Amino acid sequence: MPPTPDPIEDDLDSLPPPPPVFHVEQALLGALLLEPHRAASLTGIPAEAFSTAGHAALLTAIRSLPAPEPAQHSRNTAWLNQVLAAAGEQTRGLTTTYLHHLIQCCPEPQHAPAYARIIEEEHSRRLLRAAAHRLIQTTLDTSLPHRVATTLAEAGALTTVVDDIATRFPTRSGSLSRTPASTPVTAHDEEAGEEERLLLATATARPGSVERMRWLIPGDFTDPLHAGLWQCLITLTRRGTPIDPVTVLWGAQHRGLVATGTAEPRELLGFLSEADGCPPEYWGEQILLRSLLTTAHRSGRRIEKLTGDPATTTYQLVVGARRALADLSAVRVRWQHATTPPPANARVSNRISAPPRAGPLPTTAPPAVRIPR
């Protein structure tokens, strides 16, 4: 009869191995248990920086208890028993055997500051990943009453995390940044396409609005054809060329939008002539809003992908995150230009200054002017 497999043993075998930082945490705790006086110099690492509740509880217990005398600590385990009792009040599962195991895991107690630095770096990675995840979720939450404002607030919080990491971990020369693979382009949104067609039609009917909408660029469009047509409108406006559906079609041909079979001439003339009653600025803001949320989502994904790569150093995380946030910052500036009302024109004074009063007649003749010979 074949042996019956033990379900508990099978479950343990299926668990993934702990990450490298877990062993670093064990080495640091072992150093502090072996030489408790070293805990006083490790003030920069918080308990939540540890990956398990047991390790966090042990660090808190070690800090809460006064360090014993080295000679006394080497003779008995009284202080270790106090640490175990204090940590056991916060979490369960810690044993005396595990404390001795931690001591054995520490190769060099004097390397405790280096161990703490590694744990801080990994904690920074988790904080950055969590902030990026919150930004991603905010961009997808359609139930938010102020979706753009909340998204920008989360982006600001993410920027604060990046700046804090850069302050605590200064850059080092010779460390190249890592660039994650480009995010695949999302499927075309029919609602976005309809808004873009309405903008192109209304802007063709009212070309004066194109010059006022410098905050909208072709990169904000989801359809490459629509982006090319918007560039046509910008070019025609700057050249002073008359604008109507026919001239825009001719400009589209020069940009290769018709010759490559991207769009049929009749189709372009059709939707360029279907302007509605809304001003172009309204549709432009809708397109820019969608672009802002898409860019924020893409930036969060890029940062999240960076944090998921264990080969990425802390410096590379900072550089990569700042590059991703720079794209979002550029769209945010354009959004502020689009949604900020223009300043009220200064009032021009209508008062006409009175002519100067005539003074008394001169009593002496004016001096003669000598003309040089």
Side-chain angles (χ1 to χ4, degrees):
M1 183 176 180
T4 303
D6 187 353
I8 298 180
E9 184 178 354
D10 289 348
D11 290 342
L12 292 177
D13 292 339
S14 63
L15 292 176
V21 71
F22 178 82
H23 302 284
V24 181
E25 294 174 6
Q26 288 184 323
L28 175 61
L29 292 173
L32 300 181
L33 293 173
L34 190 61
E35 300 180 2
H37 67 278
R38 298 188 180 277
S41 61
L42 305 179
T43 57
I45 178 172
E48 56 268 19
F50 287 81
S51 60
T52 68
H55 289 177
L58 283 172
L59 179 66
T60 303
I62 291 172
R63 285 176 168 172
S64 64
L65 297 172
E69 293 293 334
Q72 180 183 2
H73 182 58
S74 62
R75 290 195 299 267
N76 58 64
T77 60
W79 186 79
L80 294 178
N81 295 334
Q82 295 177 9
V83 170
L84 183 61
E89 295 177 358
Q90 303 180 48
T91 185
R92 296 185 300 176
L94 296 174
T95 62
T96 305
T97 303
Y98 188 65
L99 263 62
H100 287 285
H101 173 69
L102 292 176
I103 295 175
Q104 295 174 356
C105 288
C106 179
E108 297 290 344
Q110 61 269 27
H111 294 169
Y115 303 152
R117 189 71 169 173
I118 295 173
I119 296 171
E120 287 184 65
E121 289 186 11
E122 192 61 24
H123 179 54
S124 298
R125 182 189 298 271
R126 291 197 298 268
L127 290 177
L128 188 60
R129 183 187 301 120
H133 182 72
R134 288 194 299 269
L135 175 62
I136 294 171
Q137 294 304 312
T138 302
T139 61
L140 299 176
D141 190 355
T142 57
S143 64
L144 293 173
H146 305 287
R147 193 175 174 189
V148 173
T150 308
T151 298
L152 294 179
E154 290 294 343
L158 177 56
T159 303
T160 301
V161 173
V162 176
D163 293 341
D164 181 64
I165 296 174
T167 301
R168 290 188 292 115
F169 301 96
T171 59
R172 292 176 295 181
S173 60
S175 181
L176 300 178
S177 60
R178 296 171 64 87
T179 303
S182 59
T183 306
V185 180
T186 56
H188 178 63
D189 188 349
E190 183 58 34
E191 181 181 357
E194 181 63 23
E195 292 175 352
E196 293 170 4
R197 286 190 290 271
L198 287 171
L199 167 67
L200 294 170
T202 53
T204 301
R206 303 177 220 178
S209 62
V210 177
E211 186 64 21
R212 297 192 300 268
M213 297 170 61
R214 294 187 176 184
W215 38 262
L216 189 67
I217 63 175
D220 295 323
F221 289 74
T222 60
D223 191 318
L225 171 63
H226 299 163
L229 290 174
W230 180 248
Q231 185 61 56
C232 288
L233 284 169
I234 294 175
T235 303
L236 294 175
T237 300
R238 292 176 179 175
R239 290 176 179 174
T241 304
I243 294 177
D244 59 31
V246 175
T247 58
V248 175
L249 174 63
W250 188 247
Q253 176 174 312
H254 287 169
R255 296 191 63 84
L257 300 178
V258 180
T260 58
T262 305
E264 295 292 335
R266 190 180 300 275
E267 177 187 356
L268 291 181
L269 289 174
F271 74 75
L272 287 174
S273 304
E274 296 177 353
D276 69 345
C278 294
E281 289 84 356
Y282 170 79
W283 296 116
E285 288 186 14
Q286 299 304 309
I287 295 170
L288 185 56
L289 183 150
R290 192 184 304 273
S291 176
L292 187 148
L293 294 175
T294 301
T295 305
H297 184 271
R298 188 183 302 117
S299 299
R301 288 291 187 193
R302 285 179 59 186
I303 297 174
E304 190 179 51
K305 193 167 186 177
L306 277 173
T307 60
D309 184 359
T312 307
T313 65
T314 306
Y315 167 69
Q316 292 168 344
L317 283 176
V318 170
V319 174
R322 283 179 169 172
R323 287 179 177 175
L325 290 172
D327 297 338
L328 176 57
S329 178
V331 184
R332 178 182 59 82
V333 171
R334 292 191 288 111
W335 171 257
Q336 291 176 345
H337 281 298
T339 56
T340 302
N345 294 329
R347 290 185 177 181
V348 180
S349 177
N350 293 325
R351 189 180 63 180
I352 301 176
S353 58
R357 289 173 134 191
L361 295 175
T363 57
T364 58
V369 179
R370 297 182 60 185
I371 301 176
R373 292 183 179 181

